[in-house]
Amino acid sequence: MTPLLSVSNIQKTYGHRIGCTGVNFDLYPGEVMGIVGESGSGKSTLLNCLAGHLEPDQGEVLFDTRAEGLRDTMTMSEPERRMLARTDWAFVHQNARDGLRMGVSAGGNVGERLMAVGARHYGNIREQAIDWLGRVEITEDRVDDRPSDFSGGMQQRLQIARNLVTGPRLVFMDEPTGGLDVSVQARLLDLLRGLVREMGLSAIIVTHDLAVVRLLADRLMVMKSGHLVESGLTDQVLDDPQHTYTQLLVSSVLQV
Amino acid sequence: MSDYNFAYLDEQTKRMIRRAILKGVAIPGYQVPFASREMPMPYGWGTGGVQVTAACLTPDDTLKVIDQGADDTTNAVSIRKFFENTAQVDVTECTQEASVIQTRHRIPEEPLTEDQILVYQVPIPEPLRFLEPRETETRKMHALEEYGLMHVKLYEDIARHGHIATSYAYPVKVEDRYVMDPSPIPKFDNPRLESAAIQLFGAGREQRIYAVPPYTKVVSLDFEDHPFEQMKAEQDCDLCGAGHTYLDEVIVNDQGGRMFVCSDTNYCATRCDAGHRGRLSPEEDAA
């Protein structure tokens, strides 16, 4: 089976400081990969390298494109990479403001990706936008409201709808539940889990919240100081951590 | 005798502007950066248009300047005087007689010919500006032909007003390639951008020049189910009775009185002289 994303030997340094180094993994279709670690461990650097927002110093990221099979996204031309970023890929930012156009209505935000790939029929665009808002539990009467009128949880759900409307195959998520209170987090996670299973999405989720990966991720990678220290099935890593740092991480979770 | 070089700008500057114009003509709709000069008028008064006009003028040219279609408004009068003083060219108010026409926010009603140059004053040349504030990003979007965002603006219009409410500076696609801001002309004028005359756009503060060569394909953006519509007031001109021209609404008293007149004053006057009458035309002389 061809992996959807094949990452080998990614390294990114900031001057003489290491961002992340020596990362290798394959992601298969329908699989959700979690990346956990403390602040400054290189999770976000790694995610940004994979999504093409940062250029890694070395290594390759192969993506299974629809037309030509495995292609290195680093050596791809920029138009191709940007095309990929608005069709087959999606990126959910931690802060919804980074991923939304705050001056444009919810419907316009969802419709933008459709229009970017050539949709030119207003009625169809709007219908799809309303359909997707419904799927993320935003009612139809909010379709013409701006995201600035939405609560934090709604903004995050809107961002997810905007990203998934073109039916991407790979979703990058950078702390999708960060900054939300726990009850809203729970609903969002429930929603995400439903969507990921229903659409057969592959996803890479960066988070420092072990509960999030326990719920969503099939596999888990633990990072520390830019290095991958442990990886495996989520339940296996969390229930039987081998590396001292992972043990520390698992034991630091507050029990209520 | 004037102490200025012909048409105010020095010859090297005019060469530089002509190079930018030639590049603009070669790539229709593409915004060519140029080293805009300080002009003896404030930004927003047509510094870009004036520089383009100065670079195009020859001593044999006849110049016409209009502002919102009118020959006799402050902006038009002062720019016309400026070139009378610095270039000693002939000036006219008659569209057919002019070889160079500088305009602010209108295309003359009279169809233009291959012997004419139409120069637009442009405040903001970037059609994507209010949607995407980063210049680096908009340039990239033009380069890669990523114009989905332009339709987001039209989508927002329909979502809010039920129809495409943008009525001026309506975005167009030139030669199936570049999306262009036609300067704030009313969208009534959009179909008339496909013209026999060469059309040059100058933005002084933003330092951009772009062009639409004669007979170039210019398509107004729209949706399949909300096609582009030309728009004008549903009246006839109250002075010349024309039903096919773009009209200005003029408030005439504080009891709700109003009249509609052609925004192109020269066209209206010509029609009046030819005997056309409107609703508010003065009574015919008994003689």
Side-chain angles (χ1 to χ4, degrees), chain A:
Chain A
M1 188 170 168
T2 331
L4 185 67
L5 190 77
S6 175
V7 178
S8 53
N9 211 18
I10 285 286
Q11 176 172 324
K12 172 75 187 171
T13 55
Y14 300 106
H16 58 277
R17 282 198 193 83
I18 293 172
C20 63
T21 183
V23 178
N24 296 283
F25 69 91
D26 286 341
L27 183 76
Y28 289 91
E31 196 177 29
V32 179
M33 169 79 84
I35 304 176
V36 295
E38 59 194 1
S39 296
S41 60
K43 332 181 276 290
S44 294
T45 299
L46 175 60
L47 191 74
N48 283 320
C49 285
L50 300 182
H53 297 173
L54 280 176
E55 196 180 342
D57 301 327
Q58 63 177 55
E60 53 182 19
V61 180
L62 301 174
F63 179 76
D64 184 20
T65 56
R66 285 178 210 243
E68 296 165 61
L70 281 179
R71 293 273 314 271
D72 188 350
T73 59
M74 295 303 144
T75 56
M76 239 179 215
S77 69
E78 193 173 13
E80 286 178 299
R81 202 175 327 130
R82 286 170 68 109
M83 190 64 191
L84 211 53
R86 59 177 191 265
T87 53
D88 271 354
W89 289 0
F91 197 100
V92 178
H93 294 265
Q94 172 176 8
N95 192 339
R97 284 166 183 274
D98 297 338
L100 292 173
R101 288 191 192 277
M102 299 306 281
V104 169
S105 71
N109 264 295
V110 178
E112 182 183 343
R113 266 176 86 105
L114 294 169
M115 292 181 245
V117 294
R120 291 291 181 266
H121 191 283
Y122 175 80
N124 296 350
I125 293 169
R126 192 168 172 84
E127 203 172 294
Q128 264 185 291
I130 289 171
D131 175 45
W132 266 97
L133 290 179
R135 288 207 222 179
V136 296
E137 299 166 15
I138 297 175
T139 51
E140 188 179 338
D141 59 337
R142 302 302 299 271
V143 64
D144 291 331
D145 290 349
R146 293 182 180 199
S148 45
D149 299 338
F150 286 4
S151 69
M154 281 174 86
Q155 287 181 3
Q156 198 58 281
R157 279 180 277 144
L158 176 61
Q159 192 193 181
I160 288 164
R162 168 185 161 94
N163 273 292
L164 297 187
V165 66
T166 48
R169 291 188 295 155
L170 175 60
V171 186
F172 300 99
M173 295 191 216
D174 191 2
E175 314 237 9
T177 59
L180 302 176
D181 71 60
V182 280
S183 61
V184 175
Q185 265 191 32
R187 266 179 70 199
L188 187 73
L189 285 174
D190 202 37
L191 178 82
L192 271 178
R193 190 164 56 165
L195 287 173
V196 164
R197 293 285 174 263
E198 185 189 320
M199 299 176 69
L201 292 174
S202 304
I204 298 177
I205 300 178
V206 160
T207 181
H208 52 238
D209 189 340
L210 292 182
V212 170
V213 289
R214 177 77 96 174
L215 270 172
L216 284 177
D218 304 312
R219 277 201 297 153
L220 187 60
M221 298 197 299
V222 184
M223 289 188 75
K224 172 148 177 38
S225 315
H227 295 268
L228 209 57
V229 295
E230 188 166 354
S231 64
L233 297 174
T234 305
D235 292 344
Q236 181 194 332
V237 173
L238 292 180
D239 293 343
D240 183 18
Q242 301 294 311
H243 192 273
T244 45
Y245 173 70
T246 320
Q247 291 168 355
L248 177 74
L249 201 67
V250 171
S251 63
S252 332
V253 175
L254 289 175
Q255 303 293 329
V256 186

Side-chain angles (χ1 to χ4, degrees), chain B residues 18-19 44 84 99 113 173 207 234-235 250 271 280:
Chain B
R18 285 172 198 146
R19 274 201 294 268
E84 271 185 291
S99 54
T113 66
K173 197 166 207 178
Q207 313 198 321
E234 287 171 358
Q235 264 84 13
V250 184
R271 275 178 59 89
L280 297 177

Side-chain angles (χ1 to χ4, degrees), chain B residues 46-62:
Chain B
T47 52
V50 162
Q51 291 178 74
V52 171
T53 303
C56 292
L57 275 183
T58 67
D60 303 331
D61 272 321
T62 307

